[in-house]
Amino acid sequence: MQLVRQNEEKAAERRKRHTGGRARAVVAVLLIAALGSACAGESGDRGGGDRGGRGGDGGGGGGGPVESASATPGRAGPDAGKKAEAKKAEARKADAAKKADAVKKADAKKAEAAVAKAQALRAVAAKKWKLAKTPLAAPPPPAVKPRITTRKGFEVTGGATLPPVFTNVPTKEKVVFLTIDDGAEKDPELLRMMTELKIPYSAFLSDYVINDNYSYFKKMQARGVSLHNHTLTHPYLPGLSYEKQKREICGQQEKIQKRYGKRPELFRPPYGNYDAGTLRAAKSCGVKAVPLWSSEAFPDHMEWREWDRDLHPGDIVLTHFRGKGEWKGSMPDMIRHVMKTITDKGYAVAKLEDYV
């Protein structure tokens, strides 16, 4: 009986152990499942939260478009870089333009100051030389010289390839050009007067009247005066053969080059007379243009080529190297008279070689 009871107790103990093991196994499985579920939930919450936040920024939920790396704040894409570089280049360009404008304005002020100073000195000289008015300042010479063509009615046969003959220089500026012919009178007062007044002029020389005092015209050249060709002996050229015309013109070219170091490019025929042979001969020895004149100045009057008896922009004014022996006055008297005419009409004297 006791043995039976002991067997029953052992059987109960075995049942108890078996039941407890199963229970523990179930608990363990449930615990693992719970932990897995918790991890998955946490991960989902994080992912969903990020997606939801971005979606909310875009106006929707987690289904909104995913942003690219280039659009992420703090990062610049290729287009943004190009735009930034373009803005920098634009800024540099604007800065350079600003500096250039400032330099231009500064240069203009300096030029104005220089003109004002020169005009003040001119006023003193004008008073000294008894001019009625101070000569006006000429504008700066053109950056490109105007195209010179033969005046209508002054053409010759075959003249298209020959030096142009003209009495006026194409310009809108109120300037005229003073030219003095031959070289017979060599008044030292003229050199001083024109230098102090800073009036430009051009000399057209004939050898037969300058060969007794070449040095006078050397001094003139040193003061900025250009020396040009007016033949060797001042003949009436159309009455000569081509060979004799060539000797007159080209012979003077050689003389001027030898004495003054530069071959002239401008030639004025005596009395303003020429023919096709004259122009061919002139061209053959380096002449580029043949300036005549629109008006002529004397100590006591003006003579006019044009019907309106007036000055025009670009007119060429002729006068001569003459003195009291042939004129009613001296060369300074002639300058005083012609400058009064020019200034009263609102013109300035410019340098012919700056335009031709």
Side-chain angles (χ1 to χ4, degrees), residues 89-157:
E90 225 173 276
R92 287 193 296 268
K93 188 177 179 181
D95 188 52
K98 189 176 179 182
K99 286 179 181 176
D101 188 53
V103 169
K104 189 177 179 181
K105 286 180 180 177
D107 288 346
K109 283 185 179 179
K110 286 180 185 177
E112 285 176 13
V115 169
K117 184 178 178 180
Q119 282 301 96
L121 293 173
R122 251 185 170 185
V124 173
K127 188 174 181 181
K128 172 184 173 180
W129 290 99
K130 298 180 181 179
L131 267 67
K133 293 180 180 178
T134 302
L136 299 175
V144 178
K145 292 181 180 182
R147 180 173 174 266
I148 306 296
T149 57
T150 293
R151 175 173 172 161
K152 188 175 181 181
F154 286 57
E155 304 93 341
V156 296
T157 303

Side-chain angles (χ1 to χ4, degrees), residues 172-183:
K172 293 180 180 178
E173 301 285 358
K174 290 196 75 174
V175 296
V176 296
F177 307 100
L178 184 60
T179 62
I180 310 180
D181 276 10
D182 63 51

Side-chain angles (χ1 to χ4, degrees), residues 30-53:
L30 291 173
L31 181 59
I32 289 168
L35 288 171
S37 177
C39 289
E42 186 177 347
S43 175
D45 288 344
R46 274 200 305 270
D50 288 345
R51 288 189 299 272

Side-chain angles (χ1 to χ4, degrees), residues 235-245 270-271 273-275 277-278:
Y236 175 72
L237 289 172
L240 303 180
S241 68
Y242 172 78
E243 288 303 322
K244 287 183 178 179
Q245 290 197 57
Y271 318 107
N273 296 126
Y274 61 94
D275 60 15
T278 309

